[in-house]
Amino acid sequence: MAFIKFFPSILTKNAPDKRAEAYRQAIHEEAKVGGTVFGPIPKGVRREFFCLDERTWVWHEEWDEKGKHYVRTTRYDVRPHGIFKAQDNQPYRPISREEAKRFLVAIQKYNDRIDNELAPYLVEVKSQFNGYL
Amino acid sequence: MLRKQLVPVKGGEIKGEYPPLNTWEAGAVAVRFGVRHKGKNNADWVANRMYPGLTQEMATRAAAELARQEATTTTGAIATGLQYDEYAKTVSAMQSLALQTTAKPAERVNPPAAAAPREAGGSREDYLRALEAPAPTQSAETPAESGAVVSLDEARARVLAARLAAQTGTQAPTHQEGPDTTQLTPDMPRAAGF
């Protein structure tokens, strides 16, 4: 099986470890797909966008400029009274209306693309989990 | 895990395949599906609470954009090869032109008073008198010159007038001389020759 290279240590771990490893790998793959929702990724740039959990979204970007390596991580927290953003360990602040619009559009595209990628799997998984999805 | 794998098969052909998932991977896909979609719903709900009407505005804009794209592709491009806006302008201009070229001459050469006595229940004499009365001279152009369309009543009246003229030796009326027949009343003096 070709995909086993992504899970080299699964066969040697116990059940909780295997579950956690598969979950991390799924997020990692989703993050790569999520990075493309903002358009083509420039050469030399690593961009990822993903849903960490039901209330947290992360946009991570790394690039080199003038021989220096830059990393920027933006974290969006969806709280009951608003959506707050923290960038590079700066304090949280509420996002503007325009940013909220762009954020929702990015989330929509992210979900659409991943569902599209996973379409054959989702059919199989739905049958396995007896309508869990 | 997520992406379709490209697998070479016999004959050098490359075929796209989705490798099967093991139990853990299938479980991760299932759980992540729920997390992602719940995360989206949460974000939608909170954003709409933070900025009321935000999601409605986005949905309206998306629907309008979709409708515009569909109109462009189905109406504009298929019908004429033009963009929708250009198509609408062209149609409007053509309609205006059509009204200008047909309505104006018809108004000039089709005076309603010519058939008025008959429509009003007048006698045969009134009708013939109306036929013999000269038409109004609102335009220097003759109907033939202007290419105007003449109504059926007008055509019948002209033929009848020509026959009467041939029988009585009078000149058939034209539309280029005489008083305005719109002012014709039963009290006007009877035209000569009948």
Side-chain angles (χ1 to χ4, degrees), chain B residues 24-115:
Chain B
W24 309 112
E25 293 163 351
V29 167
V31 172
R32 286 298 301 168
F33 181 91
V35 170
R36 282 188 290 109
H37 284 269
K38 194 164 183 183
K40 178 193 176 300
N41 292 339
N42 285 339
D44 281 344
W45 187 82
V46 172
N48 209 42
R49 190 177 178 191
M50 201 174 172
Y51 299 109
L54 183 69
T55 52
Q56 179 65 32
E57 179 190 333
M58 291 172 67
T60 305
R61 188 173 296 179
E65 177 65 18
L66 184 64
R68 193 191 67 78
Q69 287 175 357
E70 286 181 352
T72 300
T73 54
T74 58
T75 308
I78 293 175
T80 65
L82 301 173
Q83 291 299 309
Y84 178 71
D85 289 344
E86 289 299 318
Y87 174 77
K89 284 178 192 169
T90 305
V91 169
S92 177
M94 289 170 68
Q95 287 174 339
S96 299
L97 187 63
L99 286 174
Q100 286 172 4
T101 54
T102 58
K104 284 184 180 177
E107 287 168 4
R108 284 204 299 268
V109 301
N110 191 20

Side-chain angles (χ1 to χ4, degrees), chain B residues 14-15 17-19 31 71 77 86 100 124 163 165 167:
Chain B
I14 297 195
K15 186 181 173 187
E17 281 187 352
Y18 287 91
V31 172
E86 289 299 318
Q100 286 172 4
R124 173 182 170 81
R163 285 179 184 167
Q167 289 174 1

Side-chain angles (χ1 to χ4, degrees), chain A residues 24-119:
Chain A
R24 275 195 297 272
Q25 188 61 44
I27 291 180
H28 183 65
E29 296 285 339
E30 287 180 6
K32 286 194 285 189
V33 176
T36 63
V37 302
F38 305 99
I41 301 173
K43 193 177 179 183
V45 174
R46 179 186 173 198
R47 181 182 294 159
E48 293 181 343
F49 176 71
F50 61 96
C51 173
L52 184 63
D53 58 45
E54 294 164 0
R55 299 199 170 273
T56 311
W57 295 80
V58 176
W59 176 19
H60 179 81
E61 192 152 331
E62 293 181 30
W63 73 100
D64 291 319
E65 193 175 308
K66 296 177 182 175
K68 198 173 175 184
H69 186 69
Y70 292 89
V71 178
R72 175 172 291 171
T73 302
T74 306
R75 181 184 175 108
Y76 292 93
D77 270 17
V78 180
R79 301 175 185 171
H81 53 288
I83 300 173
F84 292 80
K85 165 181 156 180
Q87 203 165 44
D88 296 333
N89 298 322
Q90 297 293 312
Y92 277 98
R93 57 185 178 82
I95 62 175
S96 68
R97 186 182 179 92
E98 284 306 308
E99 188 169 0
K101 273 188 200 174
R102 292 193 291 268
F103 180 56
L104 294 184
V105 169
I107 290 175
Q108 179 68 52
K109 287 185 176 178
Y110 168 84
N111 270 349
D112 288 347
R113 288 196 186 184
I114 293 173
D115 285 348
N116 190 42
E117 287 259 346
L118 286 175

Side-chain angles (χ1 to χ4, degrees), chain A residues 117-131:
Chain A
E117 287 259 346
L118 286 175
Y121 292 133
L122 289 172
V123 173
E124 181 189 338
V125 168
K126 276 181 184 176
S127 62
Q128 276 189 28
F129 286 78
N130 195 21

Side-chain angles (χ1 to χ4, degrees), chain B residues 114 127 131 152-162:
Chain B
Y127 180 53
L131 291 178
L152 187 58
D153 283 343
E154 178 76 6
R156 283 175 180 158
R158 286 187 194 176
V159 171
L160 183 57

